[in-house]
Amino acid sequence: ILTIVTLLISAQFKISHWPGGNLIGQIGLIFSLIFIIIAFFDIFKRESLKPFSKIIWIVGFIIFNWIVGIIYYKKVLKKACT
């Protein structure tokens, strides 16, 4: 959620030509990279996932990181908690 909010604020700053839009965008991308790295570690340590599923989740995180993050949370993490 932090990534989405930061990138939306950055877009608003850039559209309005306010100073700081580039910096906020870079911070949003850093949050996105941190999220992807944490997700990779979680996927690799999870023994309940098959190797092919791990590859699919990783590719999904790289391409559609926050959408796949929400789906991963609902499907894998919720199932692990119950």
Side-chain angles (χ1 to χ4, degrees):
I1 293 176
L2 191 59
T3 302
I4 299 167
V5 170
T6 323
L7 291 176
L8 288 174
I9 291 172
S10 170
Q12 178 62 40
F13 269 62
K14 291 186 81 59
I15 290 169
S16 300
H17 300 290
W18 295 338
N22 287 334
L23 178 65
I24 296 171
Q26 291 171 353
I27 292 170
L29 290 175
I30 290 170
F31 286 147
S32 180
L33 288 174
I34 291 170
F35 175 68
I36 290 172
I37 291 170
I38 291 170
F40 282 0
F41 282 121
D42 185 60
I43 289 170
F44 280 121
K45 76 175 184 175
R46 210 161 281 285
E47 295 176 3
S48 63
L49 292 174
K50 297 176 184 173
F52 183 73
S53 294
K54 290 182 181 185
I55 292 171
I56 296 297
W57 281 115
I58 289 171
V59 169
F61 269 108
I62 291 172
I63 297 173
F64 307 106
N65 73 23
W66 64 271
I67 295 170
V68 173
I70 293 170
I71 295 168
Y72 183 77
Y73 175 75
K74 289 189 175 206
K75 286 199 174 252
V76 176
L77 296 180
K78 288 268 184 160
K79 186 165 60 169
C81 292
T82 57

